[in-house]
Amino acid sequence: MLLIIAGLFEVGFATCLGKAKLSVGSVAAWWYVGFVVSLSISMLLLMKASESIPIGTAYAVWTGIGAAGTVLVGIFLFKEPVTFWRIFFITTLIASIVGLKYVAN
């Protein structure tokens, strides 16, 4: 559970970074604050999760959740293109994460 939450905070820090890039002044500064907070929480939760899960598996799951979530945020929030290949490869990534988690237990 901690690892899933850590992955969601990874999506959060990537989203904050994207929003900061599109903002100026104090609005951008607040997005950068959100980035630092999300990054810190994500790393702390990853560290805690790796105490009970092998680090290779934990890191793969964490980055996979972050990558898949960030692609979805990009599509829905930043209006990035939805193509067959993007959906195909993100689906493959998710299937790989599930498979890795399954064989690690």
Side-chain angles (χ1 to χ4, degrees), residues 6 8 13 30 39 56-57 68 84 87-89 93 105:
L8 294 175
F13 76 70
W30 282 110
L39 177 65
T57 301
F84 169 79
I87 300 304
F88 173 79
F89 285 117
L93 175 64
N105 288 334

Side-chain angles (χ1 to χ4, degrees), residues 2-104:
L2 290 178
L3 194 54
I4 293 169
I5 297 168
L8 294 175
F9 273 100
E10 184 184 4
V11 174
F13 76 70
T15 302
C16 288
L17 195 57
K19 293 296 273 184
K21 187 175 83 169
L22 299 174
S23 303
V24 294
S26 64
V27 173
W30 282 110
W31 284 114
Y32 285 121
V33 168
F35 166 78
V36 171
V37 169
S38 295
L39 177 65
S40 299
I41 293 170
S42 183
M43 291 294 168
L44 288 170
L45 291 173
L46 174 61
M47 183 179 67
K48 186 69 176 163
S50 69
E51 292 174 0
S52 60
I53 299 172
I55 188 63
T57 301
Y59 185 74
V61 171
W62 177 75
T63 57
I65 292 169
T70 302
V71 167
L72 293 174
V73 166
I75 290 169
F76 291 112
L77 187 62
F78 296 109
K79 307 299 185 221
E80 293 176 357
V82 179
T83 65
F84 169 79
W85 290 112
R86 283 186 91 179
I87 300 304
F88 173 79
F89 285 117
I90 205 67
T91 302
T92 304
L93 175 64
I94 293 167
S96 297
I97 293 165
V98 170
L100 184 59
K101 180 69 174 122
Y102 178 75
V103 299

